[in-house]
Amino acid sequence: MPKSVLITGCSSGGIGHAAAVQLAAKGYNVFATVRNAAKAGDLAAADNVTVLELDVREQTSVDAALAQAGDIDVLVNNAGFEVWGALEEMTVDDLKDQFETNVYGPFRLVLGVLPGMRKRENGVIVNVSSVAGRVAGPLNGLYAASKWALEALSETLKYEVGHFGIRVHIIEPGGVETAFGANRRLVGAAAGEESLYAEMFSQWEAAGQRLNPDGAAQPDVVAAVIVDAIENGDKFRYPATQDAEFVFNARKAMTDEQFEQAMRQQLGLTW
Ligand SMILES: NC(=O)c1ccc[n+]([C@@H]2O[C@H](COP(=O)([O-])OP(=O)(O)OC[C@H]3O[C@@H](n4cnc5c(N)ncnc54)[C@H](OP(=O)(O)O)[C@@H]3O)[C@@H](O)[C@H]2O)c1
């Protein structure tokens, strides 16, 4: 019997879509979920793939998709987005909005699949975090907070459910060439509004390009790491791109103060 995998956020061109393609090619029974079926692209006609609608912010939508999919062996919590801007220009509702998709959403899915996995004493949960899941920077405070929260939940879950034969893994991409940047919800300076933070915004945008002079990684690269975590699963955390490895290594080797100084020098930040 092929293993069943449910993946959230499989819109064409993204990491979830690439993971669905790779897992289907390996013979998994893939439930590729999207908020809007029209965005599933070629997955609609792909072998071994069933496209389901699922909005991680809606409990009824999560319940309906899980009921349609049946027993799930592997859950890939991939859906996510970023609210982008300076913290002073954010509201509590912005923070809630960010957590609704990036934290409460994956948690809903985890709660949905765990009882079945526990009874079958078998399962894999893969949560797609980010380099921002361990290292926060200017302007991504809400997003980083959501990914740190996702990492904390994942770490606790690993300790609690390993006992039942369930593995938990975190995937940490750096920059990846998807619609993620275009899908960001921009606030304040980031949205082009008049702002005290406009100068910092422009410095940080330029810094992003300096960090990835050869361009961002392709979604296939991250999808291959997801497949590796599912099939081999010898690590808890999987940095998934070269820039993520670079940042983590630098962060590990330095104190907070050294890291900030090196980052400012490397990226030319005067703010
Ligand atoms: N690209 C990067 O640089 C990068 C770096 C680090 C981590 N990541 C993480 O990687 C994951 C995938 O992102 P991506 O790069 O593939 O970006 P993407 O192309 O924008 O894909 C994000 C996916 O999440 C879906 N989504 C958003 N809100 C949702 C909701 N409420 N319910 C269900 N699905 C929802 C989107 O659906 P719609 O198409 O309907 O909006 C889309 O399918 C995210 O968790 C992201 O945080 C990305």
Side-chain angles (χ1 to χ4, degrees), residues 46-223:
D47 289 340
N48 301 335
V49 177
T50 306
V51 173
L52 297 176
E53 284 193 336
L54 192 168
D55 184 333
V56 302
R57 300 166 71 99
E58 302 291 338
Q59 187 64 49
T60 49
S61 172
V62 171
D63 292 344
L66 290 178
Q68 279 177 280
D71 289 347
I72 293 297
D73 301 301
V74 182
L75 167 67
V76 181
N77 267 319
N78 164 75
F81 85 114
E82 180 169 40
V83 182
W84 179 246
L87 286 180
E88 188 181 348
E89 299 183 330
M90 297 289 176
T91 63
V92 172
D93 282 341
D94 289 323
L95 182 60
K96 285 183 184 165
D97 185 29
Q98 182 69 93
F99 270 56
E100 191 66 67
T101 300
N102 290 13
V103 184
Y104 309 154
F107 190 53
R108 280 188 189 100
L109 269 298
V110 167
L111 292 181
V113 300
L114 261 186
M117 288 182 174
R118 184 170 39 69
K119 275 182 210 136
R120 293 189 299 279
E121 297 186 343
N122 192 23
V124 182
I125 295 172
V126 176
N127 290 333
V128 179
S129 173
S130 166
V131 65
R134 281 197 268 165
V135 181
L139 301 173
N140 75 351
L142 300 196
Y143 179 72
S146 74
K147 294 298 191 182
W148 283 49
L150 182 64
E151 296 224 357
L153 293 174
S154 307
E155 203 160 318
T156 292
L157 192 64
K158 168 180 71 101
Y159 293 129
E160 292 177 352
V161 302
H163 179 77
F164 300 119
I166 301 167
R167 286 191 274 121
V168 180
H169 302 285
I170 294 172
I171 309 297
E172 300 171 316
V176 187
E177 210 177 294
T178 66
F180 182 77
N183 287 339
R184 289 191 295 198
R185 185 158 73 70
L186 308 177
V187 177
E193 290 167 15
E194 200 175 297
S195 164
L196 279 173
Y197 295 94
E199 168 61 19
M200 187 185 69
F201 172 74
S202 65
Q203 285 194 15
W204 192 244
E205 288 285 288
Q209 277 154 24
R210 260 179 235 135
L211 194 59
N212 265 321
D214 303 329
Q218 293 303 308
D220 281 1
V221 171
V222 182

